[in-house]
Each structure stands twice: as C-alpha cells, then as structure tokens.
C-alpha cells in the first residue's frame, strides 16, 4: 500500500499536519516554507496516513 509520499510527489500536500501522527513520518520544512511530511524506511504501509489526508485523489467522497 502507498503512503503520503504520493501526495507530496503529486504536489498537492498543503502541510496541514493531519498525517503527522505516525512515528514513521517527520515534518520537514520545504522550499515554500511549510512543513511537508517525509516518510522513513520503517513505514509499514498501513495506509492510515492516506486515510487522514483529504487530498488523496483515490479516496472516496463518502
Ligand atoms: S506506517 Fe502507515 S501511517 Fe505510517 S507512513 Fe506508513 S502507511 Fe503511513
Ligand atoms: S495529511 Fe495530506 S495534505 Fe496534510 S500534511 Fe499529510 S500529506 Fe500533506
């Protein structure tokens, strides 16, 4: 399963912080001046970060 790296790579992450709860995600200041999530190699691909991200283009609207 993917993680929120996908959202960052698509350029649609706003740095809202909703996914920062995972121990494998750390905020890192990007070139635009806001904190963007960076996922470490320990990611277990559980999908919870994507479930918390309202910008996942593959998520349902319900
Ligand atoms: S462990 Fe789960 S919540 Fe954490 S970065 Fe990986 S997919 Fe996202
Ligand atoms: S929840 Fe989505 S928009 Fe918010 S910081 Fe995480 S990846 Fe970015």
């Amino acid at each position: 399963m993917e993680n929120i790296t996908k959202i960052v790579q698509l350029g649609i992450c706003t740095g809202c912080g909703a996914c920062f709860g995972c121990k494998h995600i750390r905020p890192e200041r990007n070139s635009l001046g806001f904190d963007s999530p960076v996922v470490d190699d320990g990611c277990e691909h559980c999908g919870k970060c994507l479930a918390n991200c309202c910008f996942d283009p593959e998520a349902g609207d319900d």
Side-chain angles (χ1 to χ4, degrees), residues 2-23:
E2 297 170 298
N3 58 43
I4 41 78
T5 300
K6 174 178 79 172
I7 305 299
V8 176
Q9 289 176 344
L10 285 170
I12 55 178
C13 170
T14 64
C16 73
C19 64
F20 289 170
C22 174
K23 64 184 178 183

Side-chain angles (χ1 to χ4, degrees), residues 2-3 22 24-25 39 43-49:
E2 297 170 298
N3 58 43
C22 174
H24 297 297
I25 297 176
V39 180
C43 170
E44 295 150 28
H45 302 281
C46 67
K48 286 179 186 166
C49 54

Side-chain angles (χ1 to χ4, degrees), residues 19-36:
C19 64
F20 289 170
C22 174
K23 64 184 178 183
H24 297 297
I25 297 176
R26 71 174 191 280
E28 195 166 275
R29 194 61 49 97
N30 68 14
S31 60
L32 297 176
F34 64 81
D35 289 335
S36 180

